[in-house]
Amino acid sequence: MARHDLRQAPDMFLEALRHFTALLRSEAELAKNELKENAARAGTGLACFAIAALVALAGLHVLAAALVAWIASAGLSAGWAALIVGGGLIAIALGLLLFGKSRLSSEALLPSRTISNVKKDAASIKEAANARY
């Protein structure tokens, strides 16, 4: 077993402290950048919700017009055509809504790279501590 000079202990402690603070800074920077990316993703999800609401509103207008056309006309061709268009718009709105919801899920917003790096750093610190003593 290697013997360490106790006079080097303060220097070793300061060096370890410098490495630790540098590690904390880099992890904080990574977390900040990852949270910015996730906020942008959340913005995309919210935009999809807004677009879905507009498309759903247009779909409801078409469905209302289809009902009016269906009741007003004795034939079904204009009304059924409007119902098909309205149903298609509602399907698009539901697709956008589901896509927006997936962008806002808690798993999508979690800073997974930062968590992975912190786990790796902790394992490296444990390994380095076990190797020295």
Side-chain angles (χ1 to χ4, degrees), residues 6 10-11 15 22 26-27 34-35 37-38 47 50 78-79 94 100 103 110 116 119 122 127 129:
L6 289 179
D11 292 334
E15 181 183 347
S26 66
E27 293 299 342
E34 195 169 0
L35 289 174
E37 289 174 16
N38 290 344
L94 286 175
R103 302 290 280 181
L110 194 67
S116 174
K119 287 180 181 179
E127 183 179 319

Side-chain angles (χ1 to χ4, degrees), residues 61-119:
H61 281 103
V62 170
L63 287 174
L67 183 60
V68 170
W70 184 67
I71 293 172
S73 69
L76 296 175
S77 62
W80 283 108
L83 283 173
I84 290 170
V85 170
L89 287 173
I90 291 295
I92 290 169
L94 286 175
L96 286 170
L97 187 69
L98 293 174
F99 176 73
K101 182 181 174 190
S102 73
R103 302 290 280 181
L104 292 174
S105 71
S106 61
E107 294 85 22
L109 298 176
L110 194 67
S112 56
R113 292 188 317 248
T114 302
I115 292 170
S116 174
N117 276 354
V118 168
K119 287 180 181 179

Side-chain angles (χ1 to χ4, degrees), residues 5 8 13 16 22-23 28-29 31 33 35 39 43 45 51 72 74 78 94 96 98 119:
D5 188 8
Q8 294 177 347
F13 178 73
L23 176 66
E29 187 67 27
N33 290 337
L35 289 174
I51 292 169
L94 286 175
L96 286 170
L98 293 174
K119 287 180 181 179

Side-chain angles (χ1 to χ4, degrees), residues 10-26:
D11 292 334
M12 290 172 56
F13 178 73
L14 287 175
E15 181 183 347
L17 191 58
R18 277 194 292 271
H19 287 297
F20 184 69
T21 55
L23 176 66
L24 285 180
R25 282 188 189 127
S26 66

